[in-house]
Amino acid sequence: MTRLTRDLYTSNHWGTYCVDVAEGQVTGLRDFPEDPDPSPIGHGIVDVLHGPSRITAPMVRKSWLEGGAGAAGERRGQDEFVEVTWDKVNQLVADELTRVRRDHGNSAIYAGSYGWASAGRFHHAQSQLKRFLNCIGGYTSSKNTYSFAAAEVVVPHILGTFRGFLDTSTSWESIASDCELFVAFGGVPLKNGQISQGGVGAHVQKAGLQSAHEAGVTFVNISPLRSDLDGDVGGEWWPLRPSTDAALMLGLAHVLLSEGLHDRAFLDRYTTGFDRFAAYLKGQDDGVPKTADWAAKICDVPATDIRALARRMAASRTMISVAWALTRQDHGEQPFWAAITLAAMLGQIGQPGTGFAFGYSAMNNIGLNRHKVDFASVPQGRNPVPDFIPVARVTDLLENPGGSFEYDGTTYEYPDIRLVWWAGGNPFHHHQDLNRMRRAWARPETIIVNEWCWNPLALHADIVLPCTTPLERSDVAMAPKDPYVVAMDRAIEPVGQARDDHDIFRAIAARMNVEDAFTEGRSPQEWQRWLWDISRQQAAQAGMTLPDWDTFQRAGWIKLPVPDAPTIMMEAFRNDPVAHPLATPSGRIEIFSQTIHDFGYDDCPGHPTWMEPVEWLGQAEAGWSEQGPLHMISNQPRNKLHSQMDHGAVSRADRPKGVEQMTMHPDDARRRGLTEGQIVRIHNARGACLAELCLSDGIRPGVIQISTGAWLDSDGDLCRHGNPNTLTLDKGTSQLSQGPIAHSCLVNVTAWDGPDPVI
Ligand SMILES: Nc1nc2c(c(=O)[nH]1)N[C@H]1C(S)=C(S)[C@@H](COP(=O)(O)OP(=O)(O)OC[C@H]3O[C@@H](n4cnc5c(=O)[nH]c(N)nc54)[C@H](O)[C@@H]3O)O[C@H]1N2
Ligand SMILES: Nc1nc2c(c(=O)[nH]1)N[C@H]1C(S)=C(S)[C@@H](COP(=O)(O)OP(=O)(O)OC[C@H]3O[C@@H](n4cnc5c(=O)[nH]c(N)nc54)[C@H](O)[C@@H]3O)O[C@H]1N2
Ligand SMILES: [Mo]
């Protein structure tokens, strides 16, 4: 290949960068010139690529190596690892897969393997893992995400599709030109807009928000955190009690109904079931009218403000945004259903700048005006194993083989898992109640993990297969939700003996006589061209031209054209609901869903409903400190993506004392005799973690905030490093969706008088 005369590029979920290399090492990343608001997150990779936490050779846990499958159990996370050759590890893995399949069948392999891995169309860890396992008879899989499982299941019943509308959010241009009032449940968190799955060329959220502000849009930030709305746009802050948004929305809806401010014509033409919902609002079913006063008591915001906001919403061109976080709480289906219903009552859905949307700035692509292109992805093949779990039910799966669970109207059974394989995700980051998960994790006979760094997942595996990072392999970042397509250059040789995930699976496939099925005779380079050629055809169908592969490689990146007109969600449906019906049973917005009603779930009735969360501040329960419980918000970190590069410089810079920082209101600190900068212990019946205390009046009293992402560092049930998932509750949102509920969590906070945490 001819030497490139251009910059080297790398791309990941947090952005595109130019790579500087000297003597075979990455010396730094430079911001992508096209990006007006680059994220610092990417720079976190530089010092850890070759750092001490890098996994440089295949490793097997001593107890597993000596005692065989089933011998590691409780010793996971404890006994040492032994370095082995690739030859040896490949044989161990092939033999173990053969044993498990022969004795227990393929359903005994759990490879739901949830997680974000890295950007890159070919080297997508999960796709490679699943493709490989499908070549040998399949695996137990997982459904939905940790991001918004409740919405993924409930919204299709209401609107026909969730993803379809997530992908067509009304763009910022339309908000700037046509919105007057932007009501943001969970705010517009710019920290999250740094990310977009599969790659980002230019970050637009800050500019989008700013332009709307300059155009005169008024923002209302309904959130326990003031910082969920950028201070530059002003706006009002409504610090409601966490996990009560559904009640607030019902209160707003009741005002609209009782004052006749709802759009009856819209409801008649575009929705079904409003009367059933209205009966509930009026209290005809349960004797409790869902008035502003009723909502005020639950949410702890003044009833006069609720009434005033409802009237303003009806009198203005209003956009309602619901943060994805609202689904990650008990009954997380309800805030989204209630928000859609509220927007339907306002009658502005499908018009410029108004209606509703799911989570502006949850990622860079929400509100970004672009064409969606169905770029090709690695074909995963067919999985003949029907068994699956809703993704967040993984501990239940391991604890309860043969047990049953409900999901979207059907009863299923948990298979008996003997082998777990994770590639490209970190359950010791993402799952709730990690102490409970750690105990369940001792049950499978074998745990295999592909990782590049010694994070807690790798430390809890039996067989660790060292993989490359994107900087050590070539690929293409083509994210269907971003107009930039970027060549991901191989900047350096693989570190140590690390191999690409594809290559790891190829070698094991060879031992199991399925190499041809796995590779189809293509090299990684040939696969990438293949993906490119199909994507080129798909783009052409969408009216866009991708250059040929060689031209693209010479250029390093391209930008696809963006639409001339702003995107307006549900415009076609609004214009003609008969010609463009929704994919629901009625073809309309289902404010009442007969389907869900008929499932008979007491925790998810047939219309938006307020149900008390299992844990929330409205609860008077024993077991909390004298000062009362605190509600813990464990939201996304601003300085990294989840747990990735937590050991890198960017993440560590925000953590001068080594432990994660936690924010508390000064009044709560005073009541507990705590002072700024002190190390505290956050605890409840499920576990504990340490944190450095930061004080701020930008948080609702009674609430604390600690970002996710700190690598678990367990001392019994205490995490010395500040991982909040030692505290969160592992329970499904409801029997309908079984989504995770990290944000519904009560804790105590007390001074830590133990030794300083050593990380
Ligand atoms: N308390 C609480 N918990 C939460 C949340 C919350 O709000 N609060 N949010 C939830 C949400 S929305 C999500 S999406 C999850 C995220 O959870 P995850 O997606 O599991 O978190 P990541 O840290 O991104 O994990 C990705 C892993 O892939 C590895 N990796 C990167 N590139 C490669 C590669 O090329 N090959 C291989 N084999 N591995 C690679 C990284 O080192 C990392 O360990 O967390 C959830 N957990
Ligand atoms: N920098 C960075 N950006 C990210 C990620 C990351 O790890 N780092 N992760 C990405 C991923 S995978 C996802 S899914 C998205 C998630 O996007 P979101 O779900 O929007 O992310 P969160 O930060 O958990 O929550 C947003 C805000 O909701 C508020 N909130 C929490 N509970 C409540 C409540 O009960 N009511 C109200 N009104 N507000 C509440 C919190 O104050 C929080 O700051 O972010 C993406 N963006
Ligand atoms: Mo997510």
Side-chain angles (χ1 to χ4, degrees):
M1 194 177 117
T2 46
R3 256 191 81 77
L4 292 173
T5 52
R6 57 167 174 82
D7 271 323
L8 293 174
Y9 293 107
T10 191
S11 176
N12 218 322
H13 310 300
W14 38 82
T16 301
Y17 306 82
C18 309
V19 190
D20 291 328
V21 177
E23 292 167 19
Q25 300 233 352
V26 173
T27 52
L29 303 183
R30 278 170 293 119
D31 294 332
F32 186 48
E34 291 279 303
D35 192 344
D37 184 20
S39 164
I41 290 178
H43 301 275
I45 187 84
V46 180
D47 66 315
V48 287
L49 260 181
H50 293 271
S53 298
R54 188 66 201 255
I55 309 172
T56 53
M59 294 286 207
V60 182
R61 180 173 300 287
K62 191 156 179 272
S63 48
W64 194 97
L65 193 61
E66 290 172 355
E74 307 274 336
R75 268 179 278 199
R76 292 191 178 119
Q78 294 181 27
D79 70 338
E80 66 208 73
F81 284 94
V82 179
E83 181 176 330
V84 295
T85 62
W86 273 112
D87 264 354
K88 166 123 186 181
V89 87
N90 289 338
Q91 196 60 51
L92 286 174
V93 171
D95 290 348
E96 176 58 358
L97 286 170
T98 304
R99 179 192 75 84
V100 171
R101 291 168 63 214
R102 183 194 60 221
D103 294 352
H104 307 286
N106 279 67
S107 69
I109 303 171
Y110 178 64
S113 187
Y114 180 79
W116 270 61
S118 290
R121 213 63 191 164
F122 176 66
H123 291 290
H124 180 240
Q126 277 86 5
S127 301
Q128 297 287 348
L129 169 65
K130 291 170 185 177
R131 179 177 171 84
F132 163 66
L133 289 176
N134 285 337
C135 293
I136 60 162
Y139 57 93
T140 291
S141 60
S142 65
K143 286 201 175 152
N144 308 133
T145 64
Y146 277 72
S147 309
F148 37 42
E152 287 173 280
V153 183
V154 80
V155 176
H157 288 290
I158 310 166
L159 299 177
T161 161
F162 170 59
R163 298 274 179 175
F165 294 121
L166 193 64
D167 287 347
T168 54
S169 319
T170 297
S171 58
W172 278 113
E173 294 82 357
S174 177
I175 292 169
S177 61
D178 287 281
C179 176
E180 291 169 333
L181 178 63
F182 190 113
V183 182
F185 294 88
V188 184
L190 290 183
K191 69 176 174 58
N192 293 352
Q194 294 175 92
I195 302 300
S196 203
Q197 200 159 28
V200 183
H203 288 87
V204 303
Q205 291 300 321
K206 195 193 226 164
L209 183 66
Q210 196 62 40
S211 65
H213 166 63
E214 280 160 15
V217 179
T218 302
F219 287 85
V220 183
N221 172 28
I222 301 176
S223 167
L225 293 187
R226 185 165 57 207
S227 60
D228 280 333
L229 184 66
D230 194 73
D232 289 350
V233 306
E236 292 162 39
W237 178 35
W238 284 38
L240 87 172
R241 245 183 216 138
S243 297
T244 66
D245 299 76
L248 178 54
M249 293 171 191
L250 294 175
L252 292 165
H254 189 278
V255 177
L256 296 180
L257 179 65
S258 61
E259 299 188 6
L261 298 173
H262 58 304
D263 186 336
R264 191 72 235 195
F266 183 91
L267 292 167
D268 286 344
R269 185 154 185 228
Y270 298 95
T271 75
T272 176
F274 178 71
D275 292 338
R276 294 288 288 266
F277 172 69
Y280 167 73
L281 273 187
K282 290 182 196 151
Q284 285 169 5
D285 316 4
D286 56 5
V288 182
K290 314 299 174 299
T291 61
D293 293 288
W294 167 86
K297 284 199 198 80
I298 294 169
C299 314
D300 193 27
V301 295
T304 43
D305 289 357
I306 298 176
R307 280 189 284 271
L309 181 61
R311 291 172 195 142
R312 264 165 82 199
M313 288 170 84
S316 312
R317 292 197 299 269
T318 302
M319 171 60 82
I320 298 171
S321 176
V322 273
W324 302 353
L326 271 53
T327 64
R328 294 199 298 286
Q329 46 179 257
D330 200 19
H331 308 304
E333 295 82 8
Q334 303 309 320
F336 273 40
W337 204 345
I340 295 166
T341 301
L342 192 55
M345 290 176 77
L346 295 174
Q348 301 172 350
I349 294 170
Q351 291 181 337
T354 60
F356 68 91
F358 307 121
Y360 282 98
S361 201
M363 285 189 202
N364 187 55
N365 59 59
I366 306 295
L368 166 71
N369 201 24
R370 59 185 155 81
H371 294 291
K372 188 170 183 290
V373 189
D374 290 321
F375 292 122
S377 48
V378 176
Q380 294 183 8
R382 203 183 70 83
N383 182 0
V385 175
D387 297 276
F388 75 94
I389 55 163
V391 70
R393 298 277 50 81
V394 60
T395 299
D396 287 353
L397 165 74
L398 299 179
E399 280 179 350
N400 196 13
S404 65
F405 64 94
E406 283 298 312
Y407 174 73
D408 203 12
T410 305
T411 309
Y412 299 91
E413 195 174 292
Y414 290 122
D416 185 359
I417 299 301
R418 304 297 172 123
L419 185 150
V420 171
W421 198 329
W422 229 287
N426 180 4
F428 285 83
H429 159 73
H430 64 234
H431 196 58
Q432 282 57 66
D433 198 349
L434 287 179
N435 293 314
R436 188 181 146 208
M437 189 188 85
R438 216 153 34 92
R439 288 186 275 275
W441 195 255
R443 300 178 78 136
E445 289 155 351
T446 299
I447 294 178
I448 310 175
V449 161
N450 299 18
E451 254 300 343
W452 66 270
C453 51
W454 281 113
N455 64 7
L457 172 67
L459 290 171
H460 284 84
D462 300 328
I463 299 178
V464 181
L465 306 172
C467 66
T468 53
T469 70
L471 287 158
E472 298 147 65
R473 60 196 187 213
S474 63
D475 208 336
V476 190
M478 22 186 191
K481 302 175 184 182
D482 197 90
Y484 286 84
V485 179
V486 181
M488 297 169 65
D489 294 313
R490 175 174 170 148
I492 57 169
E493 292 295 308
V495 173
Q497 299 176 44
R499 291 183 175 178
D500 303 342
D501 291 292
H502 174 79
D503 203 31
I504 292 173
F505 295 119
R506 189 199 50 72
I508 300 165
R511 304 244 164 190
M512 300 184 78
N513 301 317
V514 292
E515 185 177 1
D516 288 347
F518 180 66
T519 64
E520 292 180 39
R522 293 189 190 101
S523 69
Q525 287 67 33
E526 287 164 343
W527 270 109
Q528 285 168 37
R529 273 179 185 255
W530 182 85
L531 291 168
W532 184 263
D533 290 340
I534 295 183
S535 301
R536 235 179 133 194
Q537 292 161 23
Q538 306 274 89
Q541 270 169 23
M544 274 168 289
T545 315
L546 287 184
D548 65 63
W549 177 254
D550 293 324
T551 309
F552 168 65
Q553 287 296 325
R554 273 194 302 276
W557 61 270
I558 54 162
K559 186 184 180 193
L560 293 172
V562 293
D564 296 330
T567 304
I568 297 161
M569 189 173 96
M570 299 181 94
E571 190 178 26
F573 171 66
R574 169 92 198 197
N575 289 343
D576 190 343
V578 178
H580 302 284
L582 303 182
T584 54
S586 61
R588 300 170 175 204
I589 299 171
E590 304 232 334
I591 293 174
F592 174 82
S593 163
Q594 190 68 46
T595 311
I596 293 180
H597 173 82
D598 289 345
F599 292 159
Y601 294 143
D602 56 358
D603 53 4
C604 192
H607 56 70
T609 303
W610 163 253
M611 287 161 282
E612 275 197 44
V614 276
E615 287 185 16
W616 71 300
L617 284 173
Q619 207 171 36
E621 248 201 0
W624 305 105
S625 61
E626 264 173 49
Q627 295 88 353
L630 293 157
H631 190 118
M632 181 180 77
I633 297 293
S634 51
N635 55 354
Q636 311 290 18
R638 67 163 184 268
N639 52 18
K640 57 183 165 283
L641 176 69
H642 315 132
S643 68
Q644 299 200 39
M645 304 182 305
D646 184 44
H647 55 323
V650 177
S651 174
R652 280 186 287 116
D654 267 350
R655 194 192 282 155
K657 299 207 167 153
V659 286
E660 193 62 41
Q661 298 188 325
M662 177 269 275
T663 304
M664 181 185 264
H665 194 276
D667 293 347
D668 288 320
R670 208 171 306 119
R671 246 174 255 132
R672 288 167 176 76
L674 303 173
T675 51
E676 174 104 40
Q678 157 177 23
I679 305 293
V680 293
R681 183 168 159 266
I682 314 174
H683 53 105
N684 61 20
R686 294 177 287 272
C689 74
L690 300 184
E692 180 192 343
L693 182 64
C694 299
L695 301 182
S696 166
D697 64 2
I699 188 164
R700 180 194 157 88
V703 179
I704 64 163
Q705 178 275 332
I706 177 166
S707 300
T708 60
W711 283 4
L712 184 76
D713 179 11
S714 295
D715 179 357
D717 282 352
L718 170 86
C719 172
R720 287 177 292 237
H721 200 188
N723 184 326
N725 277 326
T726 49
L727 298 148
T728 49
L729 179 61
D730 177 7
K731 170 195 166 297
T733 47
S734 76
Q735 296 168 89
L736 183 85
S737 326
Q738 299 284 9
I741 62 161
H743 281 311
S744 296
C745 177
L746 295 182
V747 296
N748 289 303
V749 176
T750 46
W752 170 247
D753 48 17
D756 267 1
V758 183
I759 310 297

